[in-house]
Amino acid sequence: MNENKGLKKNLGVATAMATVVGCVIGSGVFFKPQAIYTVTGGAPGLGILAWVITGLASIAAALTFAEVAIMIPKTGGMVAYLEEIYSPIVGFLAGWIQTLVFYPAMISALAVAFAQQAALFVGESFMIPIAVGVIILIIFLNSLGSSVGGGVQVIFTVCKLIPLFLLMVFGFLKGGGGNAIFTPMVGEGLNPAVVLGQLMVAILFAFEGWTNVGAIAGEMKKPGRDLPIAIVGGVSVIMAVYFVINIAYLWVLPADQLASLSAPASAVALELFGEMGGKLVAVGIMISVFGACNGFVLSGSRVAYSLATTKSLPFSDTLAVLNKAQVPVNSIILVGGIGCIYAVSGRFNLLTDLAVISSWMFYTLTFIGVMKLRRDWPDAVRTYKVPLYPVVPIIAIVSGIYVIINQIFLAGIQSTLLSAGSILVTLIGIPVYRNVRKRAVLQEKKR
């Protein structure tokens, strides 16, 4: 059944493209240079190239994901898709990892990024309390109603563009331009293939949000024609912005210096505009990050709520409760509360890597699902098909497998442990699901 039939089909290419751009641009572009140039050993070349490679992989991923989203237009997003393609337990495990790992890791990473910027004003000793405080504030705002959370999102989406514009324009106008940009590719003794995998994990965080393309498909006038244009156009704009602003950073500060800075965009702003101007740009970055954090609390709590309404999670009855403002306040508290715990680590790059690792296991299953649906539902009407099938899905699948294998086996002990932790949490979900469903069935029989 098509659950989108009540939606008005009034979105054109421009609006859809703006939606893609608004969903994706958040904090990664301001903070990831540190992780990127640390991985490359202070060399700029592969770091810059990786923004383009990862952008192309994200386009392939989004184009592939969109076919599944339109074929299975159900609420719940990837959870619903995997449930339909494979089985209810696979869908549950996607929602389980999103609820316990992905969304809390994204929320906490963004809160830590906010706190790193705030440290310019209040000092680094307050970073952890600020990060936790930001999450608590967003939990409170979202508990007031979806209109409040949505309103915050619109305002902060507009504001995020200001520091981006300033850093790009003035980086080239006022930067010295004497630093290396495309050479050397990596530092001495490093394996470019392994480094690229680590770079993709770091940069994929900055592209996170392309999964929202499925949500807008039901409201597009001509999704078969316009959706691929919106995806390719939107992600291409983002890729171009990321590419240009990272060259602008290097125009001002060298890669080895950016590698040592936890807030590289702020350091560039201070170099360009002096202390006062730099702090104003830092405020703009904080606004952007706050908006992104709000978006993940908003969407993450709905995944938990969706699972709770099907009585798939422990304490589902509690998590499915709506308050007077008709929002799932307990689900908001759950996802945000786990985010508060993660934020205590204070490690932005570790948290973003955790988020990417946990999500790409199930993204890759979704990409494979496109081919499975082509085989299982050969006669189904497809208003949108992945362009250049099967080349584009294969690119998406290979990219996903490359990222996963690199993180598990090649990127060092920290990445291996993070990957093992994500896999362990996923496996724990199997007995949890079976136990909760068994109880739900018994309760139903008693009635």
Side-chain angles (χ1 to χ4, degrees):
M1 179 180 164
N2 189 333
E3 296 184 20
N4 287 337
K5 64 182 181 180
L7 296 173
K8 291 184 178 180
K9 295 183 178 292
N10 56 8
L11 292 185
V13 175
T15 307
M17 198 181 298
T19 303
V20 173
V21 173
C23 286
V24 172
I25 294 178
S27 66
V29 68
F30 300 122
F31 294 92
K32 276 301 171 182
Q34 181 199 26
I36 288 165
Y37 299 123
T38 299
V39 169
T40 63
L46 193 57
I48 287 292
L49 185 60
W51 285 100
V52 178
I53 294 170
T54 309
L56 293 173
S58 296
I59 290 173
L63 287 169
T64 305
F65 199 89
E67 181 171 319
V68 179
I70 296 174
M71 283 288 292
I72 308 170
K74 295 182 177 180
T75 54
M78 189 166 63
V79 175
Y81 310 153
L82 294 175
E83 186 175 291
E84 188 80 39
I85 296 168
Y86 299 104
S87 70
I89 194 167
V90 176
F92 166 80
L93 291 175
W96 169 259
I97 203 76
Q98 285 181 330
T99 300
L100 294 184
V101 180
F102 172 72
Y103 280 108
M106 292 293 287
I107 291 161
S108 58
L110 291 162
V112 168
F114 182 98
Q116 286 175 345
Q117 293 299 109
L120 292 172
F121 302 92
V122 298
E124 293 188 3
S125 58
F126 293 98
M127 264 186 54
I128 302 303
I130 289 171
V132 173
V134 163
I135 298 173
I136 292 170
L137 174 60
I138 291 174
I139 290 171
F140 171 72
L141 290 173
N142 278 272
S143 70
L144 299 178
S146 57
S147 61
V148 175
V152 168
Q153 200 60 37
V154 171
I155 294 167
F156 283 67
T157 296
V158 174
C159 291
K160 80 171 75 172
L161 301 176
I162 297 171
L164 274 172
F165 179 79
L166 290 173
L167 288 168
M168 279 192 290
V169 173
F170 287 95
F172 290 112
L173 289 177
K174 298 182 71 174
N179 304 316
I181 293 175
F182 297 107
T183 56
M185 292 297 284
V186 294
E188 198 172 328
L190 295 175
N191 183 330
V194 174
V195 170
L196 179 61
Q198 293 172 272
L199 290 174
M200 286 183 72
V201 171
I203 294 171
L204 281 170
F205 169 77
F207 281 96
E208 192 62 56
W210 52 259
T211 51
N212 292 315
V213 296
I216 63 174
E219 297 169 80
M220 295 188 71
K221 296 171 186 174
K222 297 179 180 178
R225 184 197 70 184
D226 293 348
L227 190 61
I229 297 172
I231 293 168
V232 174
V235 180
S236 296
V237 167
I238 293 160
M239 185 168 61
V241 168
Y242 287 172
F243 183 77
V244 171
I245 197 169
N246 276 278
I247 291 178
Y249 292 157
L250 291 172
W251 213 256
V252 179
L253 295 174
D256 56 354
Q257 192 172 332
L258 290 170
S260 66
L261 300 166
S262 62
S266 293
V268 170
L270 287 167
E271 189 76 19
L272 291 173
F273 306 114
E275 188 172 352
M276 183 56 69
K279 286 185 176 180
L280 285 173
V281 171
V283 170
I285 295 171
M286 288 167 70
I287 291 170
S288 173
V289 171
F290 187 92
C293 190
N294 177 78
F296 281 104
V297 171
L298 189 71
S299 50
S301 60
R302 270 52 177 186
V303 171
Y305 172 73
S306 178
L307 290 177
T309 56
T310 61
K311 298 193 181 297
S312 299
L313 283 177
F315 311 106
S316 285
D317 290 341
T318 302
L319 294 171
V321 169
L322 299 177
N323 66 5
K324 291 180 180 178
Q326 292 299 296
V327 294
V329 64
N330 293 329
S331 291
I332 293 169
I333 292 169
L334 172 68
V335 175
I338 298 172
C340 286
I341 295 170
Y342 290 178
V344 173
S345 72
R347 297 182 64 184
F348 173 76
N349 289 314
L350 181 144
L351 292 166
T352 58
D353 286 356
L354 178 61
V356 169
I357 291 163
S358 66
S359 62
W360 271 77
M361 293 187 293
F362 290 98
Y363 290 164
T364 306
L365 277 178
T366 309
F367 306 150
I368 295 168
V370 169
M371 293 183 163
K372 189 173 185 298
L373 287 175
R374 291 279 183 113
R375 187 193 67 196
D376 295 348
W377 301 356
D379 301 322
V381 176
R382 287 171 169 84
T383 56
Y384 163 79
K385 291 184 177 181
V386 184
L388 302 176
Y389 182 89
V391 175
V392 170
I394 288 171
I395 292 171
I397 292 165
V398 170
S399 298
I401 293 172
Y402 176 58
V403 165
I404 293 164
I405 290 176
N406 189 282
Q407 288 307 105
I408 295 175
F409 300 109
L410 304 174
I413 187 65
Q414 178 177 286
S415 294
T416 300
L417 290 174
L418 287 177
S419 302
S422 290
I423 293 167
L424 179 62
V425 172
T426 303
L427 294 175
I428 289 170
I430 297 172
V432 169
Y433 175 80
R434 288 176 175 163
N435 188 46
V436 171
R437 293 305 301 161
K438 186 177 179 182
R439 287 186 182 181
V441 169
L442 289 173
Q443 285 177 354
E444 205 58 44
K445 285 181 178 178
K446 287 180 182 179
R447 291 174 187 171

